[in-house]
Amino acid sequence: MKQIAIDGPAGAGKSTIAKQLSAELGYVYIDTGAMYRTIALYCLKNKADLENEEQISALCSEAAIDIRYIDGVQHMFLAEDDVSDAIRTEEVSQAASTVSKYPKVRTRLVEMQRELASQYNVVMDGRDIGTHVLPDASLKIYLTASVEVRAERRYKEYLEKGLPCDLEEMKKDIAQRDHNDMTREHSPLKKAEDAIEVDTSHMTIPEVVEKIRGLIK
Ligand code: DC
């Protein structure tokens, strides 16, 4: 099976790029952040203390999390509920960043991710795909952009959707998530030694896709 790993901080454009590439290549796109978000949502629904490792580990083991593909699009389920939209709030983003530091949570989700990669050709995005989940991926990309650019992109997305937002708050949230994701003990976000870094701060989406297409060739 073929594997392309795309890692990087929140808002660097991983999912947009990974979706386009997977469609072009006919590979399955796997958004691993959505899996951490689903566990986080389950913990929030159960009013758990996110700093309580034992409690979160137990909830993670019992969560009936499922990943399904509907018309080629990844959907996340908690039991029979499609939570694909519910996991996209700022509260869930921060909670996902918190619960993803626990080894029990990571072990369970990494197992699901490797299982998928053993069945399909995949473009998988996340934080630890190149360093940990798929160390033998044929291409590893580390996608970055400055905090300012990432916050502005998110701000525009929210404005377009008519959602309330504050640019300064978004900068703070992104910086906080970078800090959590890069400094945690288990599988922190970092560029794999054999990954190619692409800074998208001053690139358009088509330019980034074109660049990676070139790298695939
Ligand atoms: O990519 P995202 O913003 O949807 O991810 C949400 C959080 O999940 C992120 O802040 C850290 C965690 N995560 C992780 O620890 N490992 C991954 N492979 C993907 C996401």
Side-chain angles (χ1 to χ4, degrees):
M1 288 296 151
K2 302 226 175 66
Q3 305 168 341
I4 296 178
I6 303 185
D7 290 299
K14 298 186 298 293
S15 66
T16 308
I17 302 301
K19 267 183 214 163
Q20 285 202 17
L21 281 176
S22 60
E24 280 182 23
L25 296 164
Y27 288 12
V28 177
Y29 166 51
I30 298 171
D31 171 1
T32 65
M35 299 167 137
Y36 289 92
R37 287 168 179 271
T38 304
I39 295 292
L41 179 67
Y42 185 71
C43 295
L44 289 171
K45 281 187 173 193
N46 281 279
K47 306 210 179 338
D49 170 5
L50 300 182
E51 289 302 333
N52 184 330
E53 178 169 0
E54 217 176 308
Q55 206 184 357
I56 301 304
S57 302
L59 284 169
C60 176
S61 308
E62 71 174 39
I65 172 179
D66 195 14
I67 181 167
R68 296 182 201 165
Y69 285 83
I70 303 172
D71 296 330
V73 178
Q74 173 180 325
H75 285 249
M76 294 308 305
F77 280 77
L78 269 176
E80 284 311 308
D81 288 340
D82 186 339
V83 295
S84 309
D85 291 330
I87 58 174
R88 295 293 156 197
T89 66
E90 196 47 48
E91 186 190 20
V92 174
S93 302
Q94 293 295 340
S97 184
T98 303
V99 303
S100 65
K101 69 184 170 185
Y102 302 127
K104 267 264 164 64
V105 174
R106 304 206 67 82
T107 307
R108 176 162 188 213
L109 298 184
V110 168
E111 201 177 298
M112 284 176 75
Q113 292 154 14
R114 288 187 176 147
E115 173 70 26
L116 286 162
S118 72
Q119 294 173 11
Y120 308 101
N121 292 327
V122 295
V123 177
M124 193 178 281
D125 82 15
R127 302 292 186 288
D128 60 338
I129 311 306
T131 53
H132 181 65
V133 182
L134 305 176
D136 299 324
S138 43
L139 178 66
K140 299 180 184 179
I141 304 289
Y142 189 80
L143 218 57
T144 61
S146 67
V147 172
E148 284 71 25
V149 167
R150 288 184 281 133
E152 274 161 25
R153 285 181 188 159
R154 187 131 304 175
Y155 180 67
K156 280 190 196 142
E157 255 175 52
Y158 272 61
L159 280 186
E160 277 165 20
K161 288 184 192 159
L163 297 169
C165 53
D166 177 286
L167 183 59
E168 286 312 309
E169 277 300 313
M170 286 182 156
K171 269 188 210 165
K172 252 193 262 162
D173 288 345
I174 284 192
Q176 178 65 50
R177 230 154 33 104
D178 282 0
H179 178 77
N180 289 350
D181 297 348
M182 290 173 178
T183 61
R184 69 171 176 237
E185 188 184 348
H186 305 280
S187 310
L189 166 65
K190 89 175 198 241
K191 180 184 161 298
E193 270 176 27
D194 50 352
I196 297 163
E197 181 163 343
V198 179
D199 185 334
T200 70
S201 300
H202 305 291
M203 291 171 87
T204 62
I205 294 165
E207 282 169 351
V208 179
V209 173
E210 184 53 35
K211 162 116 197 162
I212 300 179
R213 232 185 249 133
L215 294 171
I216 292 171
K217 281 191 191 133

